[in-house]
Amino acid sequence: MHPFDRRSFLKSVSAAAGASILSVAPARAAAPKARVVVVGGGFGGATAAKYLRLLDPGIEVTLIERGKLYTSCPLSNEVISGERSIKTLQSGYGGLAARGVKVVHDEVTQIDPVKKVVSTAAAGDFPYDALVMAPGVDFDYSAVGGLSAELAETRLPHAWKAGPQTLLLQKQLQAMPDGGRFIIAVPKGPFRCPPGPYERAAQVAMYCKHHGKKKAKILILDANDGFSKRPLFEQAWKALYGYGEGGMIEWVSGVNGGQVEQVDVSGMSVMTTFEQHKGDVINIIPPHRAGKIARDAGLANFKGAWCAVKPESMESTAHKDIYVVGDSCVGGELATGNPFPKSAHMANSQAKVVVASLVAKLNGLPPPVPIYTNSCYSVVGHDWGFSVVALFRVENNQWVYVKDGSGISPVTFGTKEKPVPVPRIYRKMEAEYADGWLRNLMADCYA
Amino acid sequence: MRNTLLALILAGRAGTAAARGNIEVLARTCNSCHGVGGVSAGATMPSIGGLPRDYLSNIMKQWKYDERSAITMNRIVKGLSNDEIDALAAYFAQQPWVPVPQKANPETLARGKTEVDNNCADCHGASGGDPDVDAPPLNGQWARYMELELQKYQSKEFKMPHRKMRKAAQQAKPADASAAARHFGAQGR
């Protein structure tokens, strides 16, 4: 075990045991081994900050994040349906501070990749030896005519960043009359949480089914022609809520005119390429791109929207000593249609790759072998959940999607010719695993 | 000559250190769902730090080769080599077992204790903290995880290869199995 690993291991154990049975030698008061600044305190940024301190307390870590309370997007669709309190999805930054991360709540105004300085609105400048960028996504409201950031906060919540908009959408759903129509507009990919819109449709349907709105309709207007975990969603929608003709949930693909181009908030309707749809609740998820601060820093060198990074370390291909993790980066096997999903676990995993690589580099050790994992649970009913997992390795400086080690929950058992239904107990258990998964993921990032 | 030898030794050491470092990198991917050091923070996900090495390596290989049913882990482990599985098993076996004692009501605990004494203690120990070599410790393991795992043993829909455990679980009434899980979950060191 490397000395810094051993220390950190002991520290983690004592923290996990909830008792400080071991005293950890604090980093010497002398100059730190290196100064690392992390911009953004979501899943990716928090993981980077925590694991840097865990693996090498000699590194000074500053996390700059404007919010004081983080709300998990994963499982936040359950808040919309009233199945979960938003409090169960929230974490502050005390856990990171206790690990020696300097947490600064401020707005980053500028990044100078040449002078290697991060500037903030109020707290001044932060010089860095390495910078971890985890700014998440920005929403491109201009892509839908009539939509604006202000409308998203008042009348047309996207609720694609969990928080006040999640609760606003919940209220709108509760106020929707029986027989009302709930429209979910899905942007062209890539977007954060690929299965999210379809899980949301199920959660909304579940709410309606159990709250006297059995005649409600959920219309998914999709700019894409396919979606994540599709066979699993369609199976569940059909079994639980009715899907397609006469069912509660309807899905319109991009090729069939699902792309929403215009919204009229006074008439509560949307225009697609083909026709107008009226809705009692209109939930437009705008197209995404890398967070503004990353684009302003010149990091969004992939299609002008996303930040390209190196497979072995997640270092930006645009600027040296800047690492980009989470929803704003692009990676994975793009050519074969297996990109990194924009998920919480993926951000967590990417951040661990950055930390392993950075700590090795700063300590003069050989670069470690990176490995990337993902898991993501969707809950579509009280006792119906399923998941997807993914594994990526790096070979010859390229990402390799490892097919064995990846995939969705089984859709059917039996053979292709003679399929048999997957027993309900499997779906029931995955709905329960979803909660344990989220709690561990939050703890792995913030505790 | 002496310098060459020294260089070789150092290179060998660096190689071993790198290999160990890489296993730690791999093991950290498990933390996302099983906690740092394998101490879980979620009631439906088991703690895995401090479980016996052979138990961990067997169970992962059984999932990998579809000899044992799982819902998520069977997919994940198929991407790992047997060497990686063995190394992960050894890594987590070296971590301390950290019980997370959970509260339960006294009646459930009493009922659970009776069930454990009759049906579980032989292999796992009365508190779950003194298991046989091939059995996992259960003291302070997450009760809800154990309940779900017992449901897998009781259901005909899961392939669970451990004969003795299967028989023990199927002998128990669901409420007794659940109480046993609560009893173990309530135990500390």
Side-chain angles (χ1 to χ4, degrees), chain B residues 164-178:
Chain B
K164 206 171 168 188
M165 183 62 210
R166 202 171 57 228
K167 286 190 174 173
Q170 286 170 0
Q171 260 173 31
K173 289 183 196 145
D176 288 332
S178 169

Side-chain angles (χ1 to χ4, degrees), chain B residues 47-170:
Chain B
S47 290
I48 58 172
L51 292 182
R53 190 192 63 182
D54 289 352
Y55 168 81
L56 284 170
S57 124
N58 285 342
I59 202 166
M60 284 192 272
K61 285 177 190 164
Q62 286 167 349
W63 286 326
K64 179 174 172 177
Y65 297 110
D66 287 325
E67 291 161 8
R68 180 186 182 109
S69 298
I71 305 180
T72 316
M73 280 308 298
N74 55 335
R75 279 175 276 151
I76 294 169
V77 294
K78 285 189 179 63
L80 302 177
S81 72
N82 287 351
D83 284 350
E84 285 175 322
I85 287 175
D86 288 340
L88 282 176
Y91 175 86
F92 281 104
Q94 279 168 9
Q95 311 302 315
W97 174 250
V98 180
V100 184
Q102 305 131 62
K103 288 190 180 123
N105 72 53
E107 299 91 87
T108 307
L109 289 177
R111 184 174 182 168
K113 190 179 181 307
T114 308
E115 178 62 24
V116 165
D117 287 344
N118 293 338
N119 211 0
C120 318
D122 196 29
C123 299
H124 293 283
S127 75
D130 180 28
D132 282 355
V133 276
D134 60 342
L138 299 177
N139 53 321
Q141 178 60 282
W142 286 100
R144 188 59 190 149
Y145 153 74
M146 289 188 280
E147 284 179 335
L148 293 175
E149 213 52 25
L150 283 162
Q151 285 178 25
K152 282 161 79 174
Y153 280 105
Q154 292 177 328
S155 162
K156 298 265 181 289
E157 308 289 359
F158 292 86
K159 202 190 299 180
M160 304 301 272
H162 201 289
R163 265 182 76 243
K164 206 171 168 188
M165 183 62 210
R166 202 171 57 228
K167 286 190 174 173
Q170 286 170 0

Side-chain angles (χ1 to χ4, degrees), chain A residues 1 5 9 12 51 348 352 368-369 377 387 393 404-405 407-409 423 426 429-430 432-433 436 440-441, chain B residues 17 20 22 24-26 28 31-33 36 40-42 44-45 71-72 75 78-79 84 95 144 148 157-158:
Chain A
M1 211 175 254
D5 268 357
F9 156 70
S12 73
Y51 274 82
N348 165 274
K352 288 176 186 171
V369 177
Y377 285 85
S387 62
R393 294 184 190 266
D404 295 332
I408 60 173
S409 305
Y426 279 68
M429 284 190 180
E430 285 214 284
E432 291 220 30
Y433 291 157
N440 270 305
L441 196 53
Chain B
R20 218 180 292 136
N22 287 330
E24 285 165 12
V25 169
L26 182 61
R28 262 173 237 137
N31 295 2
S32 319
C33 298
V36 172
S40 172
T44 55
M45 300 270 155
I71 305 180
T72 316
R75 279 175 276 151
K78 285 189 179 63
E84 285 175 322
Q95 311 302 315
R144 188 59 190 149
L148 293 175
E157 308 289 359
F158 292 86

Side-chain angles (χ1 to χ4, degrees), chain A residues 34-363:
Chain A
R35 292 162 305 179
V36 180
V37 174
V38 181
V39 172
F43 285 104
T47 305
K50 168 175 166 174
Y51 274 82
L52 278 165
R53 295 291 305 168
L54 256 179
L55 266 61
D56 190 348
I59 297 174
E60 181 187 288
V61 181
T62 305
L63 173 74
I64 309 175
E65 157 63 42
R66 62 187 149 204
K68 293 199 169 156
L69 192 66
Y70 185 73
T71 306
S72 158
C73 280
L75 299 190
S76 67
N77 284 326
E78 290 189 315
V79 174
I80 296 168
S81 64
E83 294 295 319
R84 174 184 285 279
S85 150
I86 199 163
K87 288 201 178 78
T88 65
L89 299 178
Q90 291 175 325
S91 173
Y93 293 88
L96 295 179
R99 289 189 182 274
V101 175
K102 297 183 174 171
V103 181
V104 176
H105 292 294
D106 204 346
E107 183 87 26
V108 173
T109 51
Q110 204 192 344
I111 286 155
D112 186 334
V114 180
K115 288 191 188 142
K116 300 171 86 171
V117 174
V118 175
S119 303
T120 61
D125 291 349
F126 295 87
Y128 64 79
D129 297 302
L131 170 63
V132 181
M133 288 292 290
V137 293
D138 268 356
F139 299 102
D140 181 8
Y141 296 100
S142 70
V144 179
L147 190 64
S148 66
E150 197 207 333
L151 275 176
E153 277 163 27
T154 52
R155 302 281 306 277
L156 304 170
H158 51 69
W160 218 242
K161 177 177 166 54
Q165 289 195 25
T166 312
L167 298 172
L168 177 58
L169 192 59
Q170 178 198 50
K171 283 202 183 77
Q172 292 184 345
L173 171 61
Q174 288 166 356
M176 187 173 85
D178 190 15
R181 184 194 256 170
F182 191 110
I183 293 177
I184 301 173
V186 186
K188 196 99 188 135
F191 54 84
R192 160 188 284 171
C193 188
Y198 316 97
E199 183 197 51
R200 178 170 290 179
Q203 285 288 329
V204 169
M206 173 165 67
Y207 175 83
C208 292
K209 188 175 166 179
H210 297 293
H211 293 83
K213 301 182 205 289
K214 284 187 181 160
K215 287 181 286 190
K217 296 276 181 196
I218 296 101
L219 177 62
I220 308 167
L221 297 171
D222 204 326
N224 308 281
D225 294 328
F227 55 91
S228 168
K229 305 179 188 166
R230 181 175 173 179
L232 291 166
F233 276 113
E234 293 189 326
Q235 185 179 67
W237 289 343
K238 214 168 162 181
L240 296 171
Y241 312 114
Y243 171 49
E245 192 71 31
M248 212 176 209
I249 297 176
E250 190 189 340
W251 177 67
V252 182
S253 67
V255 72
N256 288 320
Q259 177 148 352
V260 168
E261 302 195 323
Q262 189 84 29
V263 61
D264 170 17
V265 69
S266 53
M268 282 305 273
S269 69
V270 296
M271 278 298 294
T272 67
T273 342
F274 292 177
E275 57 189 316
Q276 189 185 43
H277 299 274
K278 283 198 166 278
D280 297 273
V281 179
I282 297 178
N283 172 217
I284 299 174
I285 304 160
H288 302 10
R289 53 196 174 180
K292 185 170 183 300
I293 194 69
R295 285 183 284 125
D296 288 349
L299 294 164
N301 53 355
F302 184 85
K303 296 184 177 177
W306 305 106
C307 307
V309 290
K310 297 175 186 169
E312 66 279 10
S313 62
M314 299 295 293
E315 188 178 16
S316 163
T317 59
H319 293 302
K320 206 172 166 296
D321 296 322
I322 300 185
Y323 301 78
V324 189
V325 299
D327 293 346
S328 59
C329 78
V330 63
E333 269 194 23
L334 301 178
T336 57
N338 287 304
F340 281 166
K342 298 195 182 302
S343 78
H345 187 165
M346 202 73 231
N348 165 274
S349 181
Q350 290 162 353
K352 288 176 186 171
V353 168
V354 170
V355 170
S357 156
L358 205 49
V359 168
K361 190 174 154 187
L362 293 170
N363 286 281

